[in-house]
Amino acid sequence: MTVMRPALFLDRDGVLNVDRGYVSRIEDFEWIEGAKECVATFKARGWFVFVVTNQSGIARGFYTEEDMEKLHAHMAEELAEHGTAIDRYYHAPWHEEGEIARYRKHSIDRKPGPGMLLQAMADFPVNREQSFLIGDKQTDIEAAHAAGVGAFLFKGGNLATFAEWALASFEDGMRG
């Protein structure tokens, strides 16, 4: 029997790393305070941890999927050095006004659509009712709600501290 586990869904830019606008290069990447600790703590609890990130900069021609994958590999290396990992990175490179034709379309994967979260729940044995997302934009919150998971709006500070507060609030809400 497959054991269902809760999942922490994390937006990338503005939650895991400082959002400098279309971050695609390792030299522009800077972790948010407490981000690595947040991932490690939830993984130690037995949770899945997923990144769900819109990457319209790909559709806009600012960088390529390969650039993004190199950045995610860099993140994975740094998390491994911290003794932890992201279970999977999901991205939505689509944008209806994109410059790159193959990415110029509407997609349910692009937040506020729930596609990336739904795909993670199809790929892994996620307990939806015990899962939540931390994002920094209203579209993140809408995507989580559309996918049937909890959601918290992160406005900066220490992500590990915020995630502990979010977990406590979420569990209180489940009991209430």
Side-chain angles (χ1 to χ4, degrees):
M1 183 176 136
T2 304
V3 176
M4 303 294 277
R5 294 168 33 201
L8 174 61
F9 297 93
L10 296 168
D11 179 46
R12 196 188 82 183
D13 300 328
V15 175
L16 285 173
N17 61 278
V18 175
D19 188 353
R20 294 191 165 102
Y22 303 107
V23 175
S24 63
R25 300 177 326 152
I26 293 168
E27 53 268 29
D28 296 332
F29 182 86
E30 179 186 348
W31 290 100
I32 290 276
E33 181 186 0
K36 291 185 239 179
E37 294 79 7
C38 172
V39 173
T41 300
F42 277 80
K43 292 292 291 179
R45 286 188 175 110
W47 285 50
F48 293 113
V49 179
F50 303 114
V51 170
V52 288
T53 178
N54 284 348
Q55 290 294 313
S56 70
I58 295 168
R60 297 172 194 275
F62 297 156
Y63 52 92
T64 66
E65 279 191 274
E66 293 74 25
D67 295 331
M68 180 205 64
E69 289 165 5
K70 285 179 190 168
L71 183 61
H72 289 172
H74 170 75
M75 292 171 66
E77 287 171 19
E78 293 205 341
L79 287 168
E81 290 171 9
H82 201 75
T84 194
I86 298 291
D87 288 288
R88 189 164 296 164
Y89 296 79
Y90 292 90
H91 71 284
W94 327 108
H95 195 282
E96 291 171 338
E97 298 171 11
E99 294 293 318
I100 310 299
R102 69 185 176 123
Y103 298 114
R104 189 182 315 125
K105 69 174 188 175
H106 172 78
S107 173
I108 191 172
D109 291 340
R110 182 173 169 72
K111 296 177 287 183
M116 289 185 282
L117 288 88
L118 296 174
Q119 188 61 56
M121 290 187 275
D123 292 344
F124 293 84
V126 171
N127 182 324
R128 180 188 314 249
E129 293 76 26
Q130 293 180 332
S131 301
F132 64 90
L133 171 142
I134 297 175
D136 68 326
K137 294 184 177 61
Q138 188 58 37
T139 52
D140 297 319
I141 305 308
E142 292 169 20
H145 290 163
V149 302
F152 294 90
L153 190 63
F154 179 66
K155 295 187 180 204
N158 184 302
L159 182 62
T161 303
F162 181 83
E164 291 305 307
W165 169 84
L167 176 61
S169 298
F170 188 69
E171 288 176 337
D172 284 347
M174 289 173 57
R175 284 191 290 271

